């Protein structure tokens, strides 16, 4: 095999349907990772399939300087769904690009360079986004990265207030840390972040690459927290498996964004997929199901394996089970012995990010499998 980037797993996935994927021998697996939250509607969703097929019959690609109905409709849809007063959107291809744009926009709009980020945070792998990512294992081979980045403890308002000053361009934060271990914030932290950045004239960036699209029980976690940042970054579930990212901005950011562009910004096929995804999530009340099923899954996990693990935490269908340093071993047993696919969040946490359309039967299957693995 000529590929070298990824550490491939010993399961060759050939197709998917709803909450399940199938390997090349036809074995069925319950997909409780949704490929890092990328298919919130499940695999092969008919609304997305239809939107993509119809668009392919018209035109595959036209660059963003030419208006296109699918792209314009997506702009409008995202503006309508974003928390007020966010109503401008820049489209790209991934979460790291969305965060890269947000950092550039913040520096351009404020005239400042300092970026404040959190310990254990993860914002992507391009040189700018990587500079705001905490773990050295992601960064060391590529240093020096962009400068003037300061890290503060996550969920610590006092430390944040000390770090954000008149030289700060932005504070970038995940409302729930994903790669860092599924860490939700405490009540009041995001409100404090809003007040601290506003007082300093800095931009507040919510990285909702993983928490967005209904995963935590609202379309955007910022709506769940009732806090409106200056920018929201999105990707992963936005195209239900197709590559797209977005940076949603307030006017004062959009009016002073500098010069930034992307060849594949909002191509028609990708925009059609994202439009169908977001519309279906809203029309089918998918965030509500994520909230209900998330509560159910957390409750059942706690009742069944709570005494056997260090912690169980999360919001909506973004759940972490802290098992200690045996997370990878647990994941292997889940996949090979119980046909359940999940994800790591560091060495200690099994991460559950299923399609947001799962039901109690799916949740029960995961609980039963986890009980066998960690009990």
């Amino acid at each position: 095999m000529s590929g070298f980037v990824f550490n491939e797993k010993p399961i060759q996935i050939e197709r998917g349907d709803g909450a399940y994927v199938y390997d090349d021998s036809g074995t069925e697996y319950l997909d409780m990772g949704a490929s890092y939250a990328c298919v919130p509607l499940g695999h092969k969703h008919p609304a997305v399939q239809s939107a993509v097929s119809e668009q392919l019959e018209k035109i595959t690609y036209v660059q963003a300087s030419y208006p296109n109905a699918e792209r314009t409709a997506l702009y409008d849809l995202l503006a309508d769904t974003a928390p007020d007063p966010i109503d401008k959107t820049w489209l790209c291809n991934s979460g790291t690009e969305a965060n890269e744009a947000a950092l550039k926009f913040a520096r351009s709009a404020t005239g400042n360079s300092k970026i404040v980020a959190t310990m254990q945070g993860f914002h992507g792998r391009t040189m700018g986004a990587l500079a705001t990512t905490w773990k050295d294992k992601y960064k060391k081979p590529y240093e020096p990265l962009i400068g003037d980045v300061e890290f503060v403890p996550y969920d610590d308002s006092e430390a944040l207030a000390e770090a954000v000053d008149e030289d700060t361009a932005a504070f970038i934060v995940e409302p729930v840390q994903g790669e860092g271990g599924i860490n939700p914030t405490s009540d009041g932290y995001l409100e404090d972040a809003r007040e601290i950045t506003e007082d300093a004239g800095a931009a507040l960036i919510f990285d909702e690459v993983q928490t967005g699209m209904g995963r935590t029980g609202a379309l955007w976690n910022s709506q769940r927290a009732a806090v409106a940042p200056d920018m929201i970054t999105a990707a992963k579930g936005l195209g239900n498996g197709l590559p797209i990212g977005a940076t949603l901005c307030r006017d004062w950011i959009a009016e002073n964004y500098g010069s930034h562009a992307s060849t594949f910004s909002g191509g028609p096929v990708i925009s059609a997929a994202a439009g169908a995804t977001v519309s279906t999530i809203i029309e089918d009340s998918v965030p509500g199901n994520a909230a209900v099923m998330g509560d159910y899954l957390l409750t059942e996990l706690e009742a069944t394996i709570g005494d056997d693990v260090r912690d169980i935490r999360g919001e909506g269908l973004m759940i972490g089970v802290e098992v200690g340093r045996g997370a990878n071993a647990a994941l292997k047993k889940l996949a090979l012995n119980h046909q359940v696919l999940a994800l790591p969040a560091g060495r200690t946490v099994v991460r559950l990010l299923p399609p947001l359309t799962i039901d109690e039967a799916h949740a029960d299957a995961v609980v039963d499998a986890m009980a066998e693995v960690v009990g």
Side-chain angles (χ1 to χ4, degrees):
M1 185 176 293
S2 59
F4 71 96
V5 176
F6 294 104
N7 181 16
E8 291 187 336
K9 296 175 174 59
I11 300 170
Q12 181 166 312
I13 303 300
E14 295 289 340
R15 62 186 181 90
D17 189 1
Y20 296 95
V21 293
Y22 302 83
D23 69 13
D24 53 345
S25 68
T27 301
E28 179 182 83
Y29 298 83
L30 178 56
D31 188 2
M32 290 299 292
S35 291
Y36 287 93
C38 287
V39 284
L41 296 176
H43 298 278
K44 206 172 66 175
H45 192 279
V48 180
Q49 299 281 97
S50 176
V52 169
S53 296
E54 289 176 13
Q55 183 54 43
L56 283 170
E57 294 295 321
K58 301 176 187 176
I59 187 169
T60 302
Y61 176 71
V62 61
Q63 54 139 313
S65 60
Y66 293 99
N68 173 266
E70 284 68 31
R71 185 189 300 114
T72 299
L74 181 59
Y75 285 149
D76 292 342
L77 180 59
L78 290 174
D80 289 343
T81 62
D84 290 335
I86 294 175
D87 63 0
K88 297 292 190 298
T89 300
W90 185 78
L91 297 172
C92 55
N93 310 288
S94 65
T96 192
E97 291 174 74
N99 283 330
E100 193 86 11
L103 297 172
K104 290 176 71 175
F105 295 171
R107 284 186 166 180
S108 178
T110 64
N112 295 327
S113 64
K114 180 179 175 181
I115 305 294
V116 178
T118 64
M119 297 175 182
Q120 306 306 324
F122 182 91
H123 301 291
R125 299 175 187 265
T126 49
M127 295 294 273
L130 188 58
T132 62
T133 291
W134 169 248
K135 289 185 180 179
D136 282 343
K137 76 172 186 176
Y138 298 121
K139 300 188 293 188
K140 280 294 184 184
Y142 310 111
E143 292 178 339
L145 306 173
I146 67 165
D148 211 1
V149 176
E150 180 177 343
F151 289 94
V152 295
Y154 186 68
D155 200 27
D156 187 330
S157 297
E158 184 176 339
L160 180 62
E162 291 178 2
V164 174
D165 55 27
E166 66 275 7
D167 297 320
T168 302
F171 171 50
I172 184 168
V173 62
E174 299 162 274
V176 180
Q177 286 186 330
E179 186 72 16
I182 310 298
N183 303 312
T185 60
S186 58
D187 291 343
Y189 177 66
L190 297 180
E191 291 92 334
D192 290 344
R194 174 69 285 177
E195 182 177 347
I196 290 165
T197 52
E198 204 161 55
D199 287 348
L204 177 59
I205 304 168
F206 282 178
D207 178 343
E208 295 227 38
V209 168
Q210 198 162 130
T211 58
M213 293 297 102
R215 180 143 302 273
T216 63
L219 187 65
W220 305 106
N221 189 275
S222 52
Q223 294 168 326
R224 180 183 174 95
V227 177
D230 298 291
M231 286 181 270
I232 293 174
T233 57
K236 292 194 183 295
L238 184 56
N240 205 56
L242 276 74
I244 183 170
T247 306
L248 284 62
C249 311
R250 294 193 188 209
D251 282 345
W252 76 273
I253 297 288
E255 290 166 359
N256 300 283
Y257 79 100
S259 177
H260 187 67
S262 170
T263 297
F264 290 104
S265 176
V269 174
I270 301 300
S271 293
T277 300
V278 178
S279 296
T280 303
I281 287 173
I282 295 169
E283 291 165 5
D284 291 357
S285 300
V286 171
N289 189 65
V292 170
M293 291 309 307
D295 287 344
Y296 178 80
L297 186 51
L298 278 170
T299 299
E300 293 300 308
L301 285 168
E302 187 63 49
T304 306
I305 63 170
D307 293 336
D308 301 315
V309 298
R310 294 181 180 178
D311 193 22
I312 302 170
R313 56 184 178 264
E315 288 186 7
L317 285 173
M318 186 174 181
I319 295 172
V321 180
E322 189 170 352
V323 298
R325 291 190 175 272
N328 285 328
L331 290 167
K332 184 176 181 180
K333 290 177 183 177
L334 282 171
L336 299 182
N337 299 342
H338 301 281
Q339 289 72 56
V340 173
L341 304 184
L343 300 162
R347 296 179 180 180
T348 65
V349 176
V350 172
R351 180 171 18 173
L352 303 176
L353 303 171
L356 306 183
T357 54
I358 65 166
D359 58 27
E360 289 188 4
H362 297 125
D364 291 342
V366 174
V367 172
D368 291 344
M370 288 293 296
E372 291 288 333
V373 168
V374 305

